[in-house]
Amino acid sequence: MPSISDVARHAGVALGTVSNVLNHPAKVAPATLEKVQKAIAELGFVRNSNAQQLAAGRSRSVGLVVIDISNSLFVDIARGAQRHAAELGMNVLVANSDNRIDQQRADLDFFDEARVSGILLAPMEDASEDVARIRRHGRPTVMLNYDTGRGDCCQVLVDNEEVGYLAARHLIDIGRTSLAFVGGRDYLQPVALRRRGVRRAVAEAGGRVTLEEVPTENLDPPGGLRAAEGLVAKVRGGRLDGVIAVTDLLAMAIIQVFGAQGVDVPGDVAVMGCDHNSAAWGGMIPLTSVQMQGLDMGREGLRLLLAEIAAGPVGHEHVTTVLRPELVVRESTVGRAAALTQL
Amino acid sequence: MPSISDVARHAGVALGTVSNVLNHPAKVAPATLEKVQKAIAELGFVRNSNAQQLAAGRSRSVGLVVIDISNSLFVDIARGAQRHAAELGMNVLVANSDNRIDQQRADLDFFDEARVSGILLAPMEDASEDVARIRRHGRPTVMLNYDTGRGDCCQVLVDNEEVGYLAARHLIDIGRTSLAFVGGRDYLQPVALRRRGVRRAVAEAGGRVTLEEVPTENLDPPGGLRAAEGLVAKVRGGRLDGVIAVTDLLAMAIIQVFGAQGVDVPGDVAVMGCDHNSAAWGGMIPLTSVQMQGLDMGREGLRLLLAEIAAGPVGHEHVTTVLRPELVVRESTVGRAAALTQL
DNA sequence: GTGAAAGCGCTAACAT
DNA sequence: ATGTTAGCGCTTTCAC
């Protein structure tokens, strides 16, 4: 492939002039500029960004590491970041860790080696060691959808307590009074927070509404299947008319079991999820859930990252932006007719 | 950040030795190796991949450009390619063109500038000019899910005629006899091919089954809404009991209209899509569709790409791999009870 | 405004 | 086995 010096020779100018045409066209005489651009076109010159970054010492790219690209939240994050980046003439490189923590480390290291100007990280678990390493190398890193609780980097979060609150509040608003919160142990941040929000909404309702908490081993469909079996009898006995599953995947599994056992959703029991995950949209009934604002999260994350890059290591104060979640009402809580009017 | 020569100084060896430790450890004496690795650890050295690529003239990364990462087919493609790449110690960089053709061009150029060793492209429309440019630069490019019809590069396709055939065949198998194929004009490859497959299945059924073809302006939900309105009367009149929508999104919109008008799906009419797109899973009823084999497509694409890279510009024969689609049966054609038994 | 030259951090001969 | 050195393609002073 032709290099910048081939272009220079072809155009009959010096190598440095071609570089100026590429980077500071204002500093070049119009006639020269045209000559060089013609040469570039004729030779089909394509700048080598490796050499460019090496020489310039800076990059127009930021890296985005997501733990699972098949989760629609992370897709939305990627799209939000990319759109904003495009507006700014920057580039977002996306790496998918495919739910493997070692792959996530590899992805972070890859971006570190590539000397990207900053990294957006949307992890599932604490990744503080890896992040600390990256940041020690002087590479700004913004956490997405995960609260380190240490204020040691910028973060963009959704108010997960509000997620739980909105969910419980919705069920209460549609007249449900015997609720269950189905979710794993609290070691996962969102679970603990959503649970707290659910409790708050129930508490606000006074004694009118009861809440039962149902633990599950995992947050995936199999976990939901087991949990649901215990719930069927309660629904039949009139002791349960609303279920909040901490994830959509869990909710979907629960609905599946209910359907198989002849329990009517939402007639007998309303069921909803909490993370508006399109992977869970394949269920029997469209799921009411809570929107996690992925697009905004990506966009805001990029904004914070660029601010930190611009500020440099000193003179930067870490910021945490908390996004407001939004309820998405569909059939699994209000039935088909009511859901249609929402369209 | 420390460079390779910092490491050399710190370890008391020559720069080239450090390079050998990194790239050809077998050529280094055990004692020296350990000394150098210690220095690397102490200094927190991270190799600069820009410099490495520049010097070595080759890259361990390939680029994947997808037209729309929110389409689950393309997510599957990315995951398939990445998994295979990880096994081989390679890296897949994903760029999402967000349905914009100019962004797609920008993504291709970005990878061209980054001197990746090859490119996987999953486009929506003909991108031959851009691809030709990239390939002229000596960068192998494999097309995914798009048939250029020119045999000018390797391709991985799904047999879209078979997709249509499977769809029609399924409806016929469950006893439907008055079918409609709802799809846009044939300028989109998959539409034309699926239509042909549908016709073949109907023809095979002899005179028992009728087929009506319903054109739509677009393949998105609004297009489906309009098309569906004309279909309602036919269903009521008993002149239609099976609908094949060329995309899941279209199918979902049709089901929505049917639901709103009190037409029972699948009781009165079975409806199915053709591209197993999770973005369409939010509909009233889980959709029967045809699986497009995204994971296999990504994996096979990467395999072909690496083969071409290894073979070099000469001595490479372009290959087209055609994947077999698979029917995915859910409620929209067989009803809830039958769908449950499929689980 | 333009040209010459010194690196950026690394790889790969080549020499020792 | 280890050290030396010439680039890879580009940016960026610094003279002209």
Side-chain angles (χ1 to χ4, degrees):
Chain A
M1 295 193 59
S3 77
I4 218 175
S5 71
D6 295 324
V7 174
R9 197 175 324 120
H10 191 89
V13 300
L15 182 159
T17 302
V18 178
S19 177
N20 277 333
V21 168
L22 258 29
N23 303 301
H24 313 284
K27 291 189 185 296
V28 179
T32 319
L33 204 152
E34 196 178 345
K35 231 177 10 181
V36 171
Q37 287 174 330
K38 186 155 157 284
I40 287 178
E42 286 177 4
L43 264 46
F45 166 78
V46 177
R47 157 216 238 117
N48 183 326
S49 63
N50 294 300
Q52 126 133 307
Q53 280 195 41
L54 183 59
R58 54 192 147 60
S59 161
R60 295 198 69 69
S61 297
V62 305
L64 166 63
V65 178
V66 299
I67 188 67
D68 179 14
I69 195 72
S70 64
N71 181 319
S72 61
L73 171 61
F74 298 122
V75 171
D76 286 345
I77 287 175
R79 292 201 304 158
Q82 280 172 326
R83 284 183 192 168
H84 192 190
E87 292 166 9
L88 276 50
M90 300 225 37
N91 228 296
V92 177
L93 273 43
V94 184
N96 167 37
S97 306
D98 214 12
N99 281 311
R100 298 201 318 278
I101 199 77
D102 56 324
Q103 179 66 45
Q104 175 175 292
R105 179 167 300 126
D107 290 338
L108 288 170
D109 287 343
F110 173 83
F111 286 139
D112 204 13
E113 293 185 0
R115 302 294 192 267
V116 294
S117 57
I119 294 182
L120 297 169
L121 174 60
M124 279 267 32
E125 307 170 22
D126 188 36
S128 48
E129 273 184 45
D130 296 317
V131 171
R133 180 162 33 86
I134 305 290
R135 309 194 98 247
R136 218 179 299 127
H137 300 339
R139 213 167 307 293
T141 302
V142 172
M143 298 293 283
L144 267 26
N145 197 44
Y146 189 89
D147 188 351
T148 67
R150 265 178 258 97
D152 52 358
C153 54
C154 288
Q155 308 184 124
V156 186
L157 309 170
V158 159
D159 183 346
N160 264 308
E161 189 187 327
E162 180 74 7
V163 167
Y165 179 82
L166 285 176
R169 189 57 202 267
H170 169 62
L171 292 182
I172 294 169
D173 284 347
I174 61 173
R176 307 295 165 140
T177 55
S178 308
L179 308 187
F181 176 75
V182 180
R185 320 241 178 280
D186 280 2
Y187 69 93
L188 283 178
Q189 261 184 14
V191 174
L193 292 172
R194 290 172 195 169
R195 179 195 308 278
R196 192 186 302 166
V198 168
R199 286 180 181 160
R200 178 158 60 88
V202 170
E204 276 183 16
R208 267 186 19 249
V209 176
T210 63
L211 175 68
E212 172 186 10
E213 304 194 3
V214 181
T216 64
E217 275 309 309
N218 294 304
L219 298 180
D220 52 1
L225 295 179
R226 272 187 293 278
E229 271 152 27
L231 297 178
V232 170
K234 289 180 183 156
V235 174
R236 293 228 172 88
R239 285 167 290 140
L240 178 62
D241 61 7
V243 173
I244 299 159
V246 76
T247 65
D248 281 19
L249 250 24
L250 220 43
M252 171 185 160
I254 291 169
I255 289 177
Q256 199 166 299
V257 171
F258 284 173
Q261 310 253 342
V263 172
D264 181 37
V265 176
D268 300 331
V269 58
V271 179
M272 67 180 299
C274 283
D275 59 354
H276 202 264
N277 179 354
S278 68
W281 294 358
M284 297 292 163
I285 297 175
L287 203 59
T288 293
S289 191
V290 184
Q291 172 65 252
M292 297 293 284
Q293 316 292 32
L295 287 173
D296 289 345
M297 200 177 284
R299 158 175 286 270
E300 174 68 6
L302 187 65
R303 201 183 67 74
L304 293 181
L305 184 61
L306 296 182
E308 182 168 352
I309 292 168
V314 294
H316 172 77
E317 191 89 15
H318 292 313
V319 175
T320 294
T321 300
V322 179
L323 268 21
R324 296 217 46 196
E326 259 168 50
L327 186 69
V328 180
V329 178
R330 300 205 281 152
E331 279 181 58
S332 72
T333 55
V334 297
R336 176 171 302 188
L340 265 179
T341 68
Q342 301 266 343
L343 294 174
Chain B
M1 298 194 57
S3 76
I4 218 174
S5 70
D6 295 324
V7 174
R9 199 176 323 120
H10 190 88
V13 301
L15 182 158
T17 303
V18 178
S19 177
N20 276 334
V21 169
L22 259 28
N23 304 302
H24 312 284
K27 293 188 185 293
V28 179
T32 319
L33 204 151
E34 195 178 344
K35 233 180 3 183
V36 172
Q37 287 173 330
K38 186 155 157 284
I40 288 179
E42 285 176 5
L43 265 48
F45 166 78
V46 177
R47 151 217 241 120
N48 183 325
S49 63
N50 294 301
Q52 126 131 309
Q53 279 196 41
L54 184 58
R58 54 191 149 62
S59 161
R60 294 199 70 68
S61 298
V62 305
L64 167 63
V65 178
V66 299
I67 190 67
D68 179 15
I69 194 73
S70 63
N71 181 318
S72 60
L73 171 61
F74 298 122
V75 172
D76 287 345
I77 288 176
R79 294 202 303 159
Q82 279 172 325
R83 283 183 192 168
H84 193 191
E87 292 167 8
L88 276 50
M90 299 224 39
N91 228 297
V92 176
L93 273 44
V94 183
N96 168 34
S97 307
D98 213 11
N99 281 311
R100 298 200 318 278
I101 198 78
D102 55 325
Q103 179 65 45
Q104 175 175 292
R105 180 167 299 126
D107 290 337
L108 289 170
D109 287 344
F110 173 84
F111 286 137
D112 204 13
E113 293 186 359
R115 303 293 191 266
V116 295
S117 56
I119 294 182
L120 296 169
L121 173 61
M124 279 264 37
E125 306 170 23
D126 188 36
S128 47
E129 273 185 45
D130 295 316
V131 170
R133 180 161 33 84
I134 304 291
R135 308 195 98 248
R136 220 178 299 127
H137 300 340
R139 213 167 308 291
T141 302
V142 171
M143 298 294 283
L144 266 26
N145 196 44
Y146 189 91
D147 188 351
T148 67
R150 265 179 258 96
D152 51 359
C153 52
C154 288
Q155 309 186 122
V156 186
L157 309 171
V158 158
D159 184 344
N160 264 307
E161 188 186 327
E162 182 74 7
V163 167
Y165 179 82
L166 284 176
R169 190 54 201 268
H170 169 61
L171 292 182
I172 293 169
D173 284 347
I174 60 173
R176 306 295 164 141
T177 55
S178 307
L179 308 185
F181 176 76
V182 181
R185 318 242 179 278
D186 281 1
Y187 68 94
L188 283 179
Q189 261 183 14
V191 175
L193 291 172
R194 289 172 194 168
R195 179 195 310 276
R196 193 186 303 166
V198 168
R199 285 180 181 161
R200 178 158 59 90
V202 170
E204 277 184 16
R208 266 186 19 248
V209 176
T210 63
L211 174 68
E212 172 186 11
E213 304 195 4
V214 181
T216 63
E217 275 307 311
N218 294 305
L219 298 181
D220 51 1
L225 295 179
R226 272 188 293 279
E229 271 152 27
L231 298 178
V232 171
K234 288 180 184 156
V235 174
R236 293 225 172 89
R239 282 167 291 141
L240 179 63
D241 59 9
V243 173
I244 298 157
V246 76
T247 66
D248 282 19
L249 250 24
L250 218 45
M252 170 185 161
I254 291 169
I255 289 177
Q256 198 166 299
V257 170
F258 283 173
Q261 309 251 343
V263 172
D264 181 37
V265 176
D268 299 332
V269 58
V271 179
M272 67 179 298
C274 284
D275 59 355
H276 202 263
N277 179 354
S278 69
W281 293 358
M284 297 291 163
I285 297 174
L287 203 58
T288 293
S289 191
V290 183
Q291 172 65 253
M292 298 294 282
Q293 315 293 33
L295 287 173
D296 290 345
M297 202 179 281
R299 157 175 287 269
E300 173 68 5
L302 187 65
R303 201 183 66 74
L304 293 180
L305 184 60
L306 296 183
E308 182 167 352
I309 292 168
V314 293
H316 171 78
E317 191 90 12
H318 292 312
V319 174
T320 294
T321 300
V322 179
L323 269 20
R324 294 216 48 193
E326 258 168 49
L327 187 68
V328 179
V329 178
R330 298 205 282 152
E331 279 181 57
S332 71
T333 54
V334 296
R336 176 170 304 187
L340 266 179
T341 68
Q342 301 267 340
L343 296 174

